Amino acid sequence: MKEAVANAAVEFLVPQLSENTIIGIGTGSTANLFIAALAKYKNKIAATVASSFVSEEKLKAHQINVIELNETTQVDFYIDGADESNHQLQLIKGGGGALTREKIIASAAKEFLCIADESKLVNQLGAFPLPIEVIPMASNYVSREIIKLGGNPILRKNQKTDNGNVILDINDFVIEDPTSIETALNMISGVVTNGLFSLRPADKLFLGTASGSVSELHTKQ
Ligand code: 5RP
């Protein structure tokens, strides 16, 4: 399923590629399959921007050009997986811990294509524990504030982000209004980024199904 959506995203992109195209690249197993599928077209684009050290290494292993986000004023497309998506294409991301760089590149991109298998589509976000990147010295304070919002934060063991921070995974969180929760979490001092992508949802969701077909959901026409 993941391979089928990765290929579908590449097929969608190919007719739109030019020597100036800059593509933002997500992190995770689905993004890795996208990188492998994109490799064939590496000479048809200007460069990519990676959302993690791991993705940067994978891109370079395929001899795909990688630049820093600060080196460009334009990101034409951002392609990434998700841990959950609702029908409005609001997402939970950060299962792999790369949420901050992912959110920055998604925000900078003109078009955000999410690629996922059908198990990721849900009616309400929150069954997947919501990842929050936190400045290490603030983790206990942030945890107490999250408990006040109704969540149950658990410090992710043995993982530091590419930015040197820690991750809290919020369990048992009822996310009825993703935008209010995303905003409320952003207001807690010490939170770097939360894994809700509702203020900047995906524009298109390519969903792989068990039968091998890929369906497309859109937020704008
Ligand atoms: C990494 C992410 C990933 O997109 C998310 O965890 C999905 O991963 P996968 O494609 O392996 O299912 O947000 O921080």
Side-chain angles (χ1 to χ4, degrees), residues 17-21 38-47 62-65:
L17 300 180
S18 80
E19 59 193 10
N20 300 319
T21 304
L38 182 69
K40 233 192 324 182
Y41 302 98
K42 62 184 171 217
N43 296 326
K44 293 199 177 295
I45 61 171
H62 286 282
Q63 283 94 44
I64 300 173
N65 189 21

Side-chain angles (χ1 to χ4, degrees), residues 131-197:
I132 314 283
E133 179 165 349
V134 176
I135 301 286
M137 59 81 74
S139 63
N140 286 351
Y141 166 70
V142 171
S143 292
R144 292 195 297 275
E145 292 302 302
I146 287 170
I147 290 166
K148 287 184 199 161
L149 292 175
N152 171 22
I154 296 177
L155 183 66
R156 204 180 284 184
K157 298 243 175 349
N158 306 320
Q159 189 175 3
K160 279 260 164 108
T161 69
D162 286 357
N163 313 307
N165 297 314
V166 294
I167 302 269
L168 294 171
D169 291 303
I170 311 184
N171 290 253
D172 315 318
F173 208 18
V174 179
I175 305 177
E176 275 171 3
D177 180 352
T179 303
S180 320
I181 302 242
E182 183 175 357
T183 306
L185 289 168
N186 283 343
M187 299 294 287
I188 302 173
S189 301
V191 168
V192 177
T193 310
N194 70 79
L196 271 173
F197 285 52

Side-chain angles (χ1 to χ4, degrees), residues 33-189:
L33 291 164
F34 175 80
I35 292 170
L38 182 69
K40 233 192 324 182
Y41 302 98
K42 62 184 171 217
N43 296 326
K44 293 199 177 295
I45 61 171
T48 58
V49 176
S51 61
S52 61
F53 297 150
V54 170
S55 290
E56 182 173 347
E57 272 174 25
K58 296 217 180 290
L59 287 159
K60 288 183 172 165
H62 286 282
Q63 283 94 44
I64 300 173
N65 189 21
V66 184
I67 60 169
E68 295 291 327
L69 183 61
N70 283 331
E71 291 179 73
T72 181
T73 54
Q74 123 221 1
V75 177
D76 299 287
F77 302 97
Y78 179 61
I79 292 85
D80 200 356
D83 298 302
E84 278 184 353
S85 173
N86 65 17
H87 293 264
Q88 290 72 47
L89 310 197
Q90 297 169 315
L91 313 172
I92 285 184
K93 290 189 45 55
L99 61 158
T100 296
R101 292 173 186 225
E102 292 173 344
K103 196 178 266 196
I104 292 167
I105 305 174
S107 302
K110 282 190 212 141
E111 190 163 6
F112 177 7
L113 312 180
C114 184
I115 49 178
D117 64 80
E118 62 185 352
S119 70
K120 308 286 182 73
L121 187 64
V122 297
N123 290 325
Q124 184 172 310
L125 300 173
F128 189 92
L130 177 65
I132 314 283
E133 179 165 349
V134 176
I135 301 286
M137 59 81 74
S139 63
N140 286 351
Y141 166 70
V142 171
S143 292
R144 292 195 297 275
E145 292 302 302
I146 287 170
I147 290 166
K148 287 184 199 161
L149 292 175
N152 171 22
I154 296 177
L155 183 66
R156 204 180 284 184
K157 298 243 175 349
N158 306 320
Q159 189 175 3
K160 279 260 164 108
T161 69
D162 286 357
N163 313 307
N165 297 314
V166 294
I167 302 269
L168 294 171
D169 291 303
I170 311 184
N171 290 253
D172 315 318
F173 208 18
V174 179
I175 305 177
E176 275 171 3
D177 180 352
T179 303
S180 320
I181 302 242
E182 183 175 357
T183 306
L185 289 168
N186 283 343
M187 299 294 287
I188 302 173
S189 301

